[in-house]
Structure formats: C-alpha cells, structure tokens
Amino acid sequence: NAGVTQTPKFQVLKTGQSMTLQCAQDMNHEYMSWYRQDPGMGLRLIHYSVGAGITDQGEVPNGYNVSRSTTEDFPLRLLSAAPSQTSVYFCASSSHGNQPQHFGDGTRLSIL
Amino acid sequence: GENVEQHPSTLSVQEGDSAVIKCTYSDSASNYFPWYKQELGKRPQLIIDIRSNVGEKKDQRIAVTLNKTAKHFSLHITETQPEDSAVYFCAASKPDKLIFGTGTRLQVFP
C-alpha cells in the first residue's frame, strides 16, 4: 500500500498564481484533511472532509479551496498565491475523525 | 473553537532521564488525544493516543495521562535515548476536527 501520496513534493510559485496540491490515499479512509506547518506554529488545520461530497473549514481556510469528489482524492487549491502561504502542507487520512491520522510526506511550497 | 496549548516549546534532557510534555485544551467536548513525533524533514507519526474514557495509557517507555476535569494531558517518556530527539505534537479532537499544539522540540544528549 502506498498510504497517503502527495504531489508535488516541492513547488515555487509567483504571487497571484494558482495551483492545486494533490492528495490521494489507498486505504479507503473516509476522513481526509489538510494542514499547513509553519515554524513555531505547529500544524494548523485548513480544511477537512468526512466523506465524498462533504467538506468543512478548519482553523485557517482563507485563500484555499477543497473538493472531495471521490473517497481517494482530496485536492487543495490555492486560488491566488500570496507569500503568506509559503509553508509545508501535509495531507492526512483516517478511517474516522477520531482515529489515528496517516500523514503524507508533505509538499514544500514557496511563494515569491 | 478548540485551542490546544503545549509546553515547553523546547526540552533538553540527559540520556536516561525522563521527559514530560504538557498540553491543555479548551473544548470540553474533545474526546480523543493523540501524540505525534516528527523527525526533521519527515512526516508526523503517531506514537500514542488516549480517549476520554481512559485516564492513563502506556506503551513501553511512553505513557500518556489525561485529566478531563482540568482539561490537560501529558506525555511521559522514560529512559530517554538519543533517537527520541524530535519534535512532539499533542492534539485534541472532537469528532472530525483534530487541532494540534505548537510542538515541543526534545533534545536528548548522550
């Protein structure tokens, strides 16, 4: 099993560009989430989904969109990249919200 | 919403000593409390978790305690080893929303 797969691993964008961070899991998990990790601030929840067709906002949702059309995929879209969105982004999945989260390897994103 | 505070932000111990990391949470509806270890440049990985109907849980050198009344929980690592050096995160969850603390950088010196 691949677990949780995130692509790309690294990305550099210019301010104002848009892009989609991909996340896929092969464990048939219902729950998926996106976090951003900044130095000294831990992992902050951006958006989460409890199943296909259902998404909700986390702690820091502004500037990001998500959709969940299938159980396997949970892409994160940056609509108009800003330098404040420079961060490491982690996708995670679990069978349920109150179960151990399986994290992907992360995407390191730099916005110039 | 839920807020999780974690202390200390850094912790240095001698190999063989114990380490304790403490967290407090704000939402009394939270009922699941995992701990994650993150090595430099790697993904967070679960090391232990506890649910609100349990006061303490142990796994070899690692233990977690939960005080629901005071809304705090702690990670205890005994007989620390250099490979325990990492950043540790606590988290609190009511169903569907897992909120993390800001992390503790643990350094274990030989």
Side-chain angles (χ1 to χ4, degrees):
Chain A
N1 278 352
V4 178
T5 302
Q6 289 186 238
T7 56
K9 295 190 184 304
F10 303 94
Q11 184 71 49
V12 179
L13 293 177
K14 294 181 179 178
T15 298
Q17 288 184 316
S18 62
M19 82 159 294
T20 299
L21 307 186
Q22 301 292 343
C23 176
Q25 52 91 10
D26 61 0
M27 297 172 282
N28 201 32
H29 283 167
E30 289 295 324
Y31 182 87
M32 296 186 74
S33 55
W34 276 102
Y35 290 88
R36 60 177 289 174
Q37 184 172 31
D38 304 293
M41 302 190 74
L43 293 146
R44 291 184 291 169
L45 181 65
I46 304 172
H47 286 285
Y48 64 97
S49 168
V50 299
I54 306 170
T55 64
D56 206 346
Q57 296 181 349
E59 303 170 271
V60 289
N62 292 342
Y64 307 95
N65 274 1
V66 292
S67 60
R68 185 91 181 272
S69 56
T70 67
T71 299
E72 295 77 20
D73 300 299
F74 190 43
L76 178 72
R77 296 182 186 86
L78 279 70
L79 307 174
S80 178
S84 61
Q85 294 178 305
T86 293
S87 188
V88 179
Y89 291 84
F90 285 99
C91 178
S93 75
S94 66
S95 56
H96 182 272
N98 274 6
Q99 294 295 327
Q101 300 288 308
H102 298 259
F103 282 84
D105 287 333
T107 294
R108 187 173 296 275
L109 182 63
S110 294
I111 316 292
L112 304 178
Chain B
E2 177 66 278
N3 183 49
V4 179
E5 295 190 357
Q6 183 172 347
H7 300 281
S9 56
T10 61
L11 180 59
S12 296
V13 300
Q14 203 75 28
E15 182 178 359
D17 287 349
S18 296
V20 180
I21 302 171
K22 299 182 178 181
C23 290
T24 60
Y25 61 98
S26 61
D27 192 334
S28 57
S30 292
N31 57 9
Y32 175 62
F33 306 92
W35 288 86
Y36 286 83
K37 176 182 180 182
Q38 186 179 32
E39 297 176 347
L40 189 63
K42 301 289 183 65
R43 69 179 80 178
Q45 293 196 304
L46 180 79
I47 55 171
I48 195 167
D49 57 7
I50 191 168
R51 300 186 185 276
S52 57
N53 59 347
V54 176
E56 183 175 1
K57 184 177 179 181
K58 290 182 180 179
D59 183 3
Q60 299 182 345
R61 296 186 295 109
I62 294 173
V64 58
T65 58
L66 172 65
N67 182 327
K68 285 190 298 182
T69 303
K71 290 190 282 189
H72 66 71
F73 55 114
S74 300
L75 178 71
H76 304 253
I77 305 174
T78 59
E79 302 174 18
T80 54
Q81 301 168 3
E83 51 265 38
D84 294 329
S85 297
V87 178
Y88 292 80
F89 293 98
C90 64
S93 172
K94 49 187 179 181
D96 305 331
K97 216 168 186 177
L98 184 66
I99 303 299
F100 283 81
T102 51
T104 296
R105 182 173 300 278
L106 174 64
Q107 291 182 302
V108 180
F109 292 98

